[in-house]
Amino acid sequence: MPEPGPARTLVEAYVYLDLAGGSRGAETDEVADGWLVRLGDVEVLVPRESEAWAREQGLTFGAGLSELIDPGQWVLVATTYARRALEGALFFAADPSDAGTFDEVASGWRFAADAVEEALKFFPDGAAELDPGDFWTEAGRSLRESEPERLTRDRLESDLASYRGHLEDFRRLHGR
């Protein structure tokens, strides 16, 4: 993809900035048709309509395909969220009275699952693998070249079930 398009949600805009090096210091300004998220020379538009629709539907990253983040990057994002959730769960086990840590762990598992769902959106109906052209970023292409087995439909569906299962187990075990 030559020119990045708009973000579908504010969350997606911030994830995009994080992938580009970090979102710390980013500013969000309301504009006529939505929000403009800025960091240095990078600007990402989030249309009001797509943000509203995503909130209404309970979609973390938005409806449709991302124009900013390719499927390989979504898998890396999912892995990062899952790793954070797992580490947070260990801290929570040491102090289960911390509601903030509980929320962070639950959000981590949910975001990991949501990121895998984003990667799965790129698969055409019935396809087991993605086309090389679906990977337009260096990180996405690199993952595809080094670990292609992580980018199959079967593997992603397994990861999705695992992350959802971890979230269910965490909530069930800790009664919230």
Side-chain angles (χ1 to χ4, degrees), residues 6 16 18 22 42 56 59 93-94 103 153-154 163 169 171:
Y16 175 73
D18 282 338
V42 179
E56 203 174 283
L59 302 170
D103 292 342
R153 181 186 297 274
D154 285 345
Y163 297 155
D169 290 346
R171 286 184 172 152

Side-chain angles (χ1 to χ4, degrees), residues 30-145:
E30 193 162 355
V31 294
D33 54 349
W35 295 269
L36 194 59
V37 182
R38 290 190 186 104
L39 183 64
D41 294 340
V42 179
E43 293 184 345
V44 182
L45 175 67
V46 181
R48 186 176 317 282
E49 208 172 273
S50 67
E51 175 72 22
W53 176 252
R55 287 182 189 190
E56 203 174 283
Q57 300 301 310
L59 302 170
T60 303
F61 301 113
L65 285 178
S66 177
E67 296 181 35
L68 297 174
I69 302 170
D70 75 17
Q73 287 179 300
W74 281 119
V75 170
L76 295 172
V77 167
T79 302
T80 299
Y81 280 122
R83 186 177 303 121
R84 288 179 188 165
L86 187 57
E87 290 171 3
L90 295 173
F91 286 109
F92 186 77
D95 180 10
S97 66
D98 186 351
T101 302
F102 177 90
D103 292 342
E104 287 175 18
V105 172
S107 293
W109 287 125
R110 186 173 58 83
F111 277 30
D114 290 350
V116 169
E117 286 180 327
E118 290 299 320
L120 284 166
K121 288 180 182 180
F122 284 87
F123 283 82
D125 287 343
E129 296 183 4
L130 293 167
D131 186 83
D134 291 326
F135 302 88
W136 64 84
T137 67
E138 185 178 326
R141 286 191 302 268
S142 178
L143 181 63
R144 184 178 182 277
E145 290 170 16

